[in-house]
Amino acid sequence: MSDHDLKPPAQTATSRVGSDSASASSTVRGRAIRSAARRLLSVNEFGISAVLVVLVLAIGLYDPVFLEPNVLLTTLRQAAFVAIVAYGMVFLLAMTEFDLSVGGTYAVCFIVCAVMMANDGVNPWLAALISIVLGAGLGALNGVLASLLRIPVIIVTLGTLSAYRGVVTVISDNASVRGLPVDHAFFTGLGDQWLGMPVAAWFVVVLGIVLTIVFTKTRFGAMVRAIGSNRDAAAFSGIPIGRIRLYALMVVGALAGLAGVLNLAYFQGADPTVGAGFELQVIAAAIIGGTAVTGGSGTVPGALIGALVVSVINGGLVFFRVPTTWTNVVTGAVILIAVGMDALIRRRRDAALRLTA
Amino acid sequence: MYVASGITKHYQGVHALNGVDLTVRAGEVHALLGANGAGKSTLVKILVGAEQPTSGSLTLDGRPVRFADVGDAAEKGVAIVSQELNLFPDLSVLHNLFLTREPLRSGVLVDQAEMRRRARPVLEAVGLDVPVDRLVGQLRLSERQLVEIARALLGEPKLLLLDEPTSALRAAETARLLGVVRTLRDQGVGIVYVSHMLEDVFAVADNVTILRDGCVAVAGEPCTSMTIRGVVGHMLGAAKPLDGESAKRPERPEGEQPPHSAPLRLEGVAVADEVGPIDLTAHPGEVVGLAGLEGSGAHTVFEVIFGRRRADAGTITLPTGRPGPSSETQAVRSGVAFIPGDRRRLGLMLEKPIFENIAIVRGGPLRGMGFLLNGKAMLARAEHWRNRLGIRMSSPRTPVGHLSGGNQQKVVFAKWLETEPPLVLLDDPTRGVDIGAKAEMHAAVADMAASGRVVLVTSSDLKELSDICDRVVIFFQGRACGELRDQQLNEHSLLEAMNTGDLASC
């Protein structure tokens, strides 16, 4: 769109080169800069990215310790676990579904993986793989229940969230799992850093690229968006809604399993209370990132930025010495402010783009 | 008297309306006509306060008025009954009538008795005879339409806008609604009647204003001085041919082979106590109509062929040789296309670009475009259909909801033709579409048949059925009781056969 707008003035400029070349070329450059600025502005994730930068700088100005590499790395790692699952949640939100059970799935995979390694002596890599498959299986169970009982996924997962959490308590006997083989390459490798970033963050980058392509460019992604856009029309177009939903839930489950495994690799300990409130962070990240709950569209990179915002807010509160009793209240308020600012920036930007278009 | 003068409306540099005048007197039915894109809907929105004009003024009974929104306009005496029914299916008739203006007892409790008392006369006025506690979702389309009108009447409007009130109605219901319109007129209500159904317009309107390209082409002429042919001429302008083109069957386009050449066969198909047993055979190249009143089973047959319902008995053989499908997905994969009249609900993803809408069936359930979808190829296909079907759009990237009704429906045609379906089901395909686009779609239907597809049609427009079908199977009380073809096939014979189930007299 901006390319088209650029061409006509460029032509007029060259035709005037003889008489007034200096001002003409500066006009061209001005237009080019404005056009580049507009292209940046028109990126959907622009608003929330700006909010993220402002948040980081504000906390950093208040207390520069926040900007020290190891603090930023911790923030990044926290965001990574949320982002990985939020990627999958984007698919569900885009088809107007919610999976509330991801926190439960995350915890089950985490604890099962730990128990297999510690108590049953299973090879850690194999245990990790089994856990991820288990995650996909729990997602599939959600999908099958929703189809069989003909009830919305949000209701099914309200039940399975509780059930999966209960499974964690049963398996772990409500105590931390002991005797993990922490010298194994699984822990020293996955839990560590690679090229200056936590390994979990590399997973975030690679999965972000892959899932962006899946969401925007593949047949599966197109059908997901079609279902969220107009469910009746999707049914009349022959789109197998139940099956697509099942696949999306399996993707989310597998991602939750992966996040659990990565979390285990980093913390090298298995506390059964892991991931309390995780599902809400995941959903918040996807929505803050710009995926509308009304369905039809979504953004995988936005979910990453949303996860970073959530993580920065949680980390930043420590620096502002917010009493721990108030943490949740402040987190909630900051999330609302962040989303509100994003909405404001979007509206302003859309108005500006309309004017210059 | 409601007067709009010099109404001009610009949308981002586009002149939707250019100095339009309209005068509606009390006790007059004033028809407002125009082809798609003529500015009709824009004018309607301005008249009822849904949009503000760029310039121009509105006066009601001599006083200048300005409406903040539709609710404000209704309070000041200008009400609209719109094409998209704005009712709440989960609420009762009574609550729909009084929503947001319920009479209260002691200031808090909804006064049911008072609501019933006040509802009675308006329901009588529109001739609606259903229990007021029934949920609107359980009513028939025509009954919902009457609820909408009754709701508008509760505000005792001076001016009532009816936007396509009969487009979803069947003949008998239409007659009833037109009767209601006349009664209201005789009570002194000024009525603006917007419709594509020219025969209804002539049956009920006193005067007619025709818009073309955002300007007034005919300003409030008496209906008696005009003919349908003349009106069509004014609507379309001089450039377009009037009619007669549509009925002609074009030659098969070069390079396109008929995808399949087997017929569709239904043998002894029955659904519970609704339909059957029914035998039906439709051959490639044939356009077969299914006609019947609501509940006669014509529509159920469509649902069975498209896999939305299972037949309890009998066998279906699709043109691809596959059996009757058990789901829509299976139907689509067995080569069945379904073009619905309710395009906004069943046909399109309105906020998605045109090219995505066109590609979704072939690229989605049919897996016809690979795992990775190629945006360029999809855009090229959209351009292909733009030329083939004459879809008027600025770009294939435009959200399909921005197009006019007729062009939206062409996108639905394109999305299904893209799949090369051996069997096409058309369910009231041109509902609410203007006459120009209608002719183009009829040509597209003829083209489908010419390229060797089996085509089945139902329609609320009997003229359409008789124009485009080679033969029409009549459904009466769950049975196929015969068929009309050639000279026997016309609107009158159809209407009579549908109502009596008796074809002997035709």
Side-chain angles (χ1 to χ4, degrees), chain A residues 217 219 229-230 232 237-238 296, chain B residues 348 351-352 363 371 373 415:
Chain A
K217 305 273 186 213
R219 183 174 69 222
S229 175
N230 184 343
D232 288 333
S237 300
Chain B
L348 295 170
E351 86 287 2
K352 295 268 180 230
F371 180 70
L373 299 180
K415 129 181 177 174

Side-chain angles (χ1 to χ4, degrees), chain A residues 256-304:
Chain A
L258 174 65
V261 166
L262 290 174
N263 194 22
L264 177 68
Y266 175 68
F267 283 107
Q268 310 192 344
D271 178 4
T273 62
V274 68
F278 186 71
E279 54 282 334
L280 294 182
Q281 285 187 39
V282 166
I283 293 173
I287 294 173
I288 291 172
T291 296
V293 288
T294 45
S297 60
T299 151
V300 170
L304 169 57

Side-chain angles (χ1 to χ4, degrees), chain A residues 87 90-91 204-225 298-301, chain B residues 370-375:
Chain A
Y87 287 163
V90 167
F91 285 74
V204 170
V205 171
V206 174
L207 283 171
I209 294 169
V210 170
L211 291 174
T212 298
I213 293 171
V214 171
F215 188 73
T216 58
K217 305 273 186 213
T218 65
R219 183 174 69 222
F220 175 69
M223 289 197 278
V224 162
R225 286 178 283 127
T299 151
V300 170
Chain B
F371 180 70
L372 275 176
L373 299 180
N374 179 340

Side-chain angles (χ1 to χ4, degrees), chain A:
Chain A
M1 182 173 150
S2 39
D3 288 340
H4 288 289
D5 299 341
L6 193 56
K7 272 168 198 156
Q11 280 162 2
T12 36
T14 35
S15 66
R16 290 190 305 175
V17 158
S19 61
D20 197 4
S21 71
S23 80
S25 68
S26 79
T27 315
V28 171
R29 200 178 306 127
R31 278 173 195 273
I33 291 170
R34 250 175 289 154
S35 151
R38 268 182 51 196
R39 207 170 304 163
L40 183 67
L41 268 173
S42 61
V43 173
N44 263 322
E45 294 78 15
F46 174 80
I48 198 65
S49 305
V51 171
L52 176 64
V53 170
V54 169
L55 271 175
V56 170
L57 290 181
I59 300 172
L61 281 178
Y62 183 84
D63 190 342
V65 173
F66 182 72
L67 298 180
E68 280 178 10
N70 60 331
V71 179
L72 284 182
L73 279 180
T74 307
T75 313
L76 184 62
R77 192 179 290 109
Q78 284 304 323
F81 303 134
V82 174
I84 288 173
V85 188
Y87 287 163
M89 196 63 76
V90 167
F91 285 74
L92 283 175
L93 291 175
M95 51 194 296
T96 61
E97 304 277 13
F98 279 86
D99 183 348
L100 294 178
S101 72
V102 286
T105 310
Y106 174 75
V108 167
C109 297
F110 175 87
I111 216 80
V112 165
C113 191
V115 167
M116 275 194 289
M117 288 178 199
N119 300 357
D120 306 327
V122 178
N123 176 297
W125 295 116
L126 180 63
L129 185 67
I130 293 173
S131 301
I132 293 169
V133 173
L134 172 67
L138 294 177
L141 180 62
N142 287 332
V144 169
L145 284 174
S147 289
L148 280 184
L149 304 176
R150 295 178 189 238
I151 46 181
V153 171
I154 188 169
I155 309 290
V156 169
T157 55
L158 194 61
T160 52
L161 168 62
S162 184
Y164 294 169
R165 282 239 166 252
V167 168
V168 173
T169 316
V170 170
I171 292 179
S172 67
D173 208 8
N174 215 14
S176 289
V177 179
R178 289 168 193 282
L180 289 169
V182 291
D183 295 331
H184 191 275
F186 171 80
F187 291 98
T188 54
L190 278 189
D192 204 5
Q193 295 181 11
W194 188 60
L195 299 179
M197 276 214 305
V199 172
W202 285 107
F203 273 91
V204 170
V205 171
V206 174
L207 283 171
I209 294 169
V210 170
L211 291 174
T212 298
I213 293 171
V214 171
F215 188 73
T216 58
K217 305 273 186 213
T218 65
R219 183 174 69 222
F220 175 69
M223 289 197 278
V224 162
R225 286 178 283 127
I227 292 168
S229 175
N230 184 343
R231 188 171 288 255
D232 288 333
F236 271 85
S237 300
I239 292 175
I241 294 176
R243 194 176 313 165
I244 299 292
R245 187 174 66 183
L246 177 69
Y247 294 159
L249 284 165
M250 288 172 70
V251 168
V252 177
L255 290 172
L258 174 65
V261 166
L262 290 174
N263 194 22
L264 177 68
Y266 175 68
F267 283 107
Q268 310 192 344
D271 178 4
T273 62
V274 68
F278 186 71
E279 54 282 334
L280 294 182
Q281 285 187 39
V282 166
I283 293 173
I287 294 173
I288 291 172
T291 296
V293 288
T294 45
S297 60
T299 151
V300 170
L304 169 57
I305 299 169
L308 286 168
V309 168
V310 171
S311 174
V312 164
I313 291 170
N314 284 337
L317 289 181
V318 178
F319 291 87
F320 283 93
R321 295 182 192 84
V322 176
T324 44
T325 41
W326 282 86
T327 313
N328 283 344
V329 177
V330 177
T331 308
V334 177
I335 287 177
L336 286 175
I337 292 170
V339 176
M341 274 175 65
D342 177 46
L344 191 73
I345 291 172
R346 267 166 204 268
R347 272 202 298 278
R348 286 270 168 89
R349 179 203 66 186
D350 289 350
L353 288 179
R354 259 202 300 281
L355 278 182
T356 52

Side-chain angles (χ1 to χ4, degrees), chain B residues 37-58:
Chain B
K40 226 173 19 178
S41 13
T42 308
L43 181 58
V44 168
K45 282 182 194 155
I46 289 171
L47 290 177
V48 300
E51 298 234 13
Q52 299 301 326
T54 311
S55 66
S57 65
L58 302 172

